[in-house]
Amino acid sequence: MSNGPRYLKMNGLCMNEGIEGTERFASPGKGRGLRALKHFAVGDLVFACPAYSYVLTANERGAHCEYCFTRKEGLSKCGKCKQAYYCEVDCQKGDWPMHKLECTAMCSYGENWCPSETVRLVARILMKQVRVCHHYLDKLDNEKNEMNQTDIAALHHFYSRHIDFPDDQTLTVLFGQVNCNGFTIEDEELSHLGSAVFPDVALMNHSCSPNVIVTYKGTVAEVRAVQDIQPGDEIFNSYIDLLYPTDDRNDRLRESYFFTCVCDECTTRSKDGAKMELRKLKSPPEPEEVRKMVRYARNVIEEFRRAKHYKNILPSFLLLELLEICELSQEKMGSIFADTNVYMLHMMYQAMGVCLYMQDWDGAVSYGEKIIQPYSVHYPAYSLNVASMYLKLGRLYLGLERKRQGVKALKKAIAIMEVAHGKDHHYVTEVQREVKELK
């Protein structure tokens, strides 16, 4: 199956013609792609792309401006719904064409106003008179179809006063496209800020050894080189988390994007041995024992993913149960897997997240210290996952008055972020300021 681009065509606004230094082309076996017309060194900005449509996640209201996503204190809230916050009057005016979709509804429904983030994003896209095409309806499984139908029902329920809806088949296609082509906007610690559609960014094909990385400055996506790119080279982004071994990555790609990756990393499986490292035992486990443990690891990861979805509404005793799941699974997997095995690292990362949520700073540091070195090996150079782990560890160290370790970790985060985000990005300058104030 071809490695096709994440692609959403909206009123012909597919790719801004003439983005300097790049061009669209027919990538062999992959459909449309993007290639370089000039040399890009590591850290160079390849292109920037404003969001076609976007929405701030509800959990970040009050901390970020609804319109520009600026993070600051003292934001002013909408006088009518009291739930949307803005930097200034200009931001509030700029957001009104989209916010009016929700403002009255939030007042009317009160606590019962609860469309998903995907529903909110689709409503905003429909306001722009989207033209829907290039879909994969025949590849959607029953679970995805049911989710789409639930979202369509919610869209009609919450937005019928403001939008003239197309037929349900068109809406099903649109939800499928948004789920496939949508991007998650994240902050410097990879915390979720919102969802958006970036048609230009979606034109890039996938590779498990990408030569660019996508970061965000407000509601603008910035694409920077993380490998040396020569004229004529195709520009590749990664669609997925690259921590996992080849089979897991391709399972995820087939499930979400309907193709199998055939990049050099997938063909050679060069990192799979290290990612699947086994514990050194007097009697090595039989291959079937390893396969059985891999199945167990995948199942517990999925179980935890579903439970974690409700983390924000779980009482503390159930959070302790999540932590126990992490610890018990590590104990079981640790009978065969080394601590550097990616399945072990996955559960350590989840345990760290629960510790952070419960404000168990010592517990979070303990897990972070086990994670950071293997992350640096398993992920590609200039990985945001590695940078965010150094950043979290650095800030945790400082909170625990471990200044020397904190400064060292923050400096390692900065070294990666200067390439991935650019030296002038406000996230970089904020972390640099944190370090400077400690001197």
Side-chain angles (χ1 to χ4, degrees):
M1 189 176 295
S2 69
N3 179 356
R6 298 162 59 130
Y7 179 64
L8 182 63
K9 186 171 184 179
M10 295 170 291
N11 264 348
L13 300 178
C14 306
M15 174 81 179
N16 292 328
E17 294 294 338
I19 287 183
E20 185 178 356
T22 67
E23 69 173 357
R24 280 184 290 174
F25 79 114
S27 179
K30 300 180 178 69
R32 275 181 247 207
L34 195 64
R35 68 183 169 196
L37 294 176
K38 66 176 187 179
H39 172 250
F40 293 99
V42 171
D44 282 353
L45 179 67
V46 179
F47 68 91
C49 172
Y52 177 82
S53 191
Y54 60 90
V55 60
L56 180 73
T57 190
N59 289 338
E60 292 298 327
R61 283 182 160 157
H64 290 77
C65 175
E66 197 91 12
Y67 183 64
C68 69
F69 280 32
T70 295
R71 179 175 59 198
K72 63 185 290 188
E73 296 180 358
L75 296 171
S76 300
K77 58 186 172 183
C78 171
K80 187 173 182 180
C81 69
K82 314 290 186 187
Q83 293 191 50
Y85 289 76
Y86 300 96
C87 295
E88 56 189 12
V89 172
D90 287 346
C91 281
Q92 187 169 6
K93 288 181 178 178
D95 193 47
W96 179 244
M98 294 293 110
H99 179 56
K100 69 182 180 183
L101 280 170
E102 302 181 340
C103 189
T104 303
M106 285 192 289
C107 294
S108 300
Y109 288 101
E111 294 182 356
N112 293 320
W113 188 84
C114 55
S116 70
E117 198 161 302
T118 303
V119 170
R120 295 173 63 208
L121 183 58
V122 166
R124 292 174 179 229
I125 293 171
L126 286 171
M127 286 291 285
K128 296 191 173 189
Q129 302 298 309
V130 65
R131 186 173 72 216
V132 179
C133 62
H134 188 79
H135 55 85
Y136 295 94
L137 274 184
D138 58 321
K139 299 181 178 67
L140 296 179
D141 58 28
N142 289 335
E143 183 180 1
K144 288 189 174 70
N145 276 320
E146 288 176 9
M147 290 173 61
N148 281 342
Q149 294 309 311
T150 300
D151 283 340
I152 289 170
L155 184 71
H156 281 285
H157 180 70
F158 290 110
Y159 293 95
S160 58
R161 295 181 183 179
H162 294 282
I163 299 174
D164 293 326
F165 298 111
D167 60 80
D168 280 4
Q169 183 177 12
T170 301
L171 288 176
T172 299
V173 172
L174 181 55
F175 273 105
Q177 289 178 321
V178 169
N179 285 323
C180 184
N181 292 275
F183 289 79
T184 295
I185 297 178
E186 297 169 323
D187 69 9
E188 75 276 28
E189 291 191 3
L190 301 188
S191 295
H192 179 77
L193 297 183
S195 299
V197 171
F198 298 97
D200 295 358
V201 181
L203 272 173
M204 292 185 291
N205 283 314
H206 166 83
S207 171
C208 296
S209 181
N211 52 16
V212 299
I213 198 166
V214 182
T215 57
Y216 304 96
K217 188 177 285 183
T219 60
V220 175
E222 295 188 332
V223 178
R224 281 190 161 76
V226 291
Q227 296 180 25
D228 199 62
I229 301 174
Q230 297 296 330
D233 287 351
E234 182 163 2
I235 298 170
F236 289 107
N237 180 32
S238 172
Y239 297 178
I240 57 172
D241 189 336
L242 295 174
L243 177 65
Y244 303 96
T246 302
D247 289 342
D248 289 34
R249 295 196 307 274
N250 272 303
D251 283 348
R252 171 71 196 282
L253 289 168
R254 283 188 290 269
E255 178 186 347
S256 298
Y257 304 106
F258 315 111
F259 69 85
T260 298
C261 183
V262 291
C263 72
D264 288 344
E265 186 64 42
C266 288
T267 303
T268 64
R269 297 174 175 257
S270 60
K271 291 186 177 181
D272 282 5
K275 291 183 175 185
M276 293 299 297
E277 187 174 357
L278 304 181
R279 190 168 296 283
K280 300 295 187 290
L281 301 170
K282 290 182 179 179
S283 300
E286 295 294 327
E288 180 54 32
E289 289 183 90
V290 176
R291 286 192 290 269
K292 185 176 179 180
M293 191 61 75
V294 168
R295 289 194 294 271
Y296 166 78
R298 290 174 174 173
N299 288 337
V300 79
I301 286 171
E302 178 60 20
E303 176 189 344
F304 191 87
R305 184 190 68 80
R306 293 178 184 275
K308 190 180 145 191
H309 179 71
Y310 300 100
K311 183 180 69 175
N312 290 333
I313 59 174
L314 288 177
S316 58
F317 74 89
L318 288 180
L319 287 170
L320 289 171
E321 287 189 12
L322 288 183
L323 188 58
E324 187 177 7
I325 292 174
C326 295
E327 292 169 346
L328 290 174
S329 63
Q330 288 174 65
E331 183 179 344
K332 180 170 181 175
M333 290 189 292
S335 65
I336 290 180
F337 296 154
D339 285 350
T340 57
N341 184 292
V342 295
Y343 296 126
M344 293 286 284
L345 293 173
H346 179 101
M347 296 315 297
M348 290 179 194
Y349 181 81
Q350 301 305 328
M352 182 182 181
V354 176
C355 287
L356 287 170
Y357 193 81
M358 298 173 63
Q359 300 186 9
D360 175 7
W361 311 130
D362 289 308
V365 165
S366 177
Y367 281 114
E369 289 174 337
K370 295 175 184 176
I371 292 168
I372 188 59
Q373 192 54 44
Y375 262 30
S376 301
V377 173
H378 296 327
Y379 277 111
Y382 310 111
S383 164
L384 295 177
N385 300 80
V386 177
S388 70
M389 184 55 64
Y390 274 125
L391 197 54
K392 289 174 183 175
L393 268 175
R395 288 169 171 169
L396 283 166
Y397 284 139
L398 295 178
L400 295 171
E401 299 184 353
R402 295 163 65 176
K403 178 179 174 181
R404 184 183 63 80
Q405 291 169 289
V407 170
K408 184 178 179 181
L410 291 181
K411 285 183 176 179
K412 288 187 175 182
I414 289 170
I416 298 171
M417 293 170 68
E418 284 182 335
V419 172
H421 291 82
K423 293 182 179 180
D424 63 343
H425 197 288
H426 59 274
Y427 288 155
V428 176
T429 56
E430 284 176 11
V431 182
Q432 288 173 331
R433 185 167 58 249
E434 289 179 53
V435 172
K436 187 176 180 181
E437 289 173 351
L438 292 167
K439 292 181 179 180

